[in-house]
Amino acid sequence: MNQLLSRISAIVSDRGGVARALKLALDRPAAVAQAIRRLAEKDWRTLAGGSQANANKLRVELEQSGLIDALNTRLRDEFSVLAGKKVRGKEAVPGGMRALHAELLWVIVRSQNLKTIVETGVCNGLSSAVLLEAIAKNGSGLLVSVDLPEFTDAKLNKFDVWDGKGGAAIPAGKDVGWLVRPEHRPSWRLELGPCQELLPPLLEELSPIDLFIHDSEHSYENQLFEFRVGFEALRPGGVLVATDITWSDAFDHFWLEIKGSNAERAFVDPSCAIVIKR
């Protein structure tokens, strides 16, 4: 029980966590009960980091690096001049990442020394920058990212986006993933276009992979598609990270399909889960 309370406290203390927790409790009390049950299943740090002690050591490493604060400062500075800017009638936002999710990615890559990582969803590149920094710390590795970019300047947009998409966008004058440091780009391969078109041949080329991260279109159809193809491409012991799982029932349906295969799962917070392929 103490461990569960500690995990809930860590989630609530994350930036914006109190507001999110209160809103969820008021709007969807059944979802709160489900979240508590899920968090009681297994500690993600043990699965991702090998042990809680090792995961905590890597969390401290990330905090002391100042990486997340530096990336968030660059994002805030860039978007401070875009106040009121809209994309498709929605307020343009940086498409940032929760501190706990950044910790998750850092712990997985650093503890397991992963070599081949595939992520979907890049936007301004916060998660990509974290992953590539961890790869650089390890000494080697490759990150392959797939993105369907949207810019604050509509004239730059070459792709139609999902109707349910929020306002996460790239400022005009910036490239996809502009937060990635130049010295890390040799370890980065960026593919632009719809995931359902690009992922099958890409994963066939790269398989087996060590880590697959879904953070692109959160429709039921696309989430289920990505969970299936990403999991299939993993090596034994590989990890799937599923973000924004509260947007649809896709993760629950995916888990019902694979739970008999000795896969293990853990919930990082109500919106994010990891699955280990056995």
Side-chain angles (χ1 to χ4, degrees):
M1 178 58 71
N2 288 338
Q3 186 182 83
L4 174 59
L5 291 174
S6 176
R7 294 181 63 198
I8 293 172
S9 175
I11 292 166
V12 171
S13 65
D14 192 5
R15 293 176 184 174
V18 173
R20 288 195 300 272
L22 288 173
K23 186 177 188 306
L24 185 62
L26 291 171
D27 294 348
R28 300 171 60 193
V32 173
Q34 180 190 56
I36 292 173
R37 287 195 302 270
R38 285 177 164 182
L39 291 173
E41 284 185 18
K42 192 170 296 184
D43 192 331
W44 70 266
R45 292 174 178 85
T46 302
L47 277 185
S51 70
Q52 291 183 30
N54 188 57
N56 287 333
K57 180 183 74 173
L58 292 169
R59 174 185 55 78
V60 172
E61 176 185 74
L62 177 61
E63 288 179 354
Q64 292 180 343
S65 74
L67 175 64
I68 304 305
D69 286 340
L71 291 171
N72 281 324
T73 296
R74 292 176 65 190
L75 272 177
R76 284 195 301 270
D77 290 347
E78 192 65 38
F79 274 77
S80 64
V81 298
L82 294 173
K85 180 70 176 179
K86 294 186 180 295
V87 289
R88 293 172 290 100
K90 301 178 181 180
E91 182 181 358
V93 296
M97 181 171 54
R98 297 178 189 177
L100 193 60
H101 295 182
E103 177 189 337
L104 165 69
L105 299 183
W106 186 265
V107 167
I108 291 174
V109 178
R110 289 284 289 122
S111 66
Q112 302 189 33
N113 198 18
L114 306 183
K115 300 302 182 185
T116 307
I117 302 167
V118 176
E119 69 163 345
T120 65
V122 177
C123 198
N124 295 297
L126 204 159
S127 63
S128 305
V130 171
L131 290 164
L132 286 163
E133 192 74 31
I135 287 172
K137 195 86 171 173
N138 287 345
S140 64
L142 173 69
L143 170 64
V144 181
S145 305
V146 180
D147 193 48
L148 192 74
E150 184 172 30
F151 295 85
T152 57
D153 184 349
K155 296 191 298 293
L156 300 176
N157 294 325
K158 300 178 181 179
F159 303 99
D160 293 329
V161 300
W162 174 49
D163 289 341
K165 180 180 180 293
I170 303 161
K174 294 291 187 181
D175 295 325
V176 180
W178 59 272
L179 285 171
V180 171
R181 291 166 57 181
E183 59 266 37
H184 293 337
R185 290 180 181 266
S187 300
W188 191 35
R189 175 177 165 186
L190 176 63
E191 303 281 349
L192 301 181
C195 287
Q196 298 203 26
E197 293 180 12
L198 296 182
L199 275 178
L202 187 62
L203 291 173
E204 183 177 359
E205 172 195 345
L206 297 170
S207 296
I209 64 174
D210 299 308
L211 172 62
F212 180 87
I213 304 158
H214 160 79
D215 194 19
S216 62
E217 178 185 313
H218 301 317
S219 67
Y220 172 85
E221 292 76 14
N222 189 68
Q223 285 191 314
L224 188 58
F225 164 76
E226 288 196 23
F227 297 155
R228 285 170 169 170
V229 298
F231 185 77
E232 178 65 24
L234 291 174
R235 62 164 171 79
V239 185
L240 180 143
V241 174
T243 67
D244 292 293
I245 58 175
T246 56
W247 283 54
S248 79
D249 294 327
F251 182 79
D252 293 327
H253 294 170
F254 165 70
W255 178 249
L256 287 174
E257 292 177 359
I258 67 163
K259 70 176 184 178
S261 63
N262 294 322
E264 292 185 76
R265 73 175 182 182
F267 293 91
V268 181
D269 64 19
S271 72
C272 181
I274 64 171
V275 178
I276 310 295
K277 187 175 186 178
R278 298 304 187 193

